[in-house]
Amino acid sequence: MAVPKRKVSPSRRNMRRSHHALGANPYTEDKDTGELRRPHHVDLKTGMYKGRQVLTPKKD
């Protein structure tokens, strides 16, 4: 079983955790509808992806 040889100092622990922060979601404005959508994802309202019809559009 792996056991630490020395106590990890708070400074070293915090430096390790400096990369753990979450970034903001990169939403982009859709060219056709003007709504926000995630890049590289299908727009569920229109069913479009990369300018092609991939899914049948959702009906309200």
Side-chain angles (χ1 to χ4, degrees):
M1 190 168 102
V3 178
K5 194 154 190 133
R6 298 196 183 284
K7 180 179 179 178
V8 177
S9 69
S11 174
R12 186 167 291 276
R13 177 196 64 203
N14 294 337
M15 283 192 286
R16 181 180 68 241
R17 291 179 184 171
S18 68
H19 303 284
H20 292 187
L22 294 174
N25 288 330
Y27 286 100
T28 58
E29 189 174 330
D30 193 32
K31 294 174 189 169
D32 300 325
T33 60
E35 294 190 17
L36 293 177
R37 65 170 187 81
R38 290 167 54 196
H40 307 287
H41 284 72
V42 177
D43 186 15
L44 294 177
K45 283 195 172 183
T46 60
M48 299 289 285
Y49 179 71
K50 285 190 172 180
R52 296 182 300 151
Q53 188 74 32
V54 182
L55 300 173
T56 55
K58 270 176 97 175
K59 295 183 179 178
D60 290 334

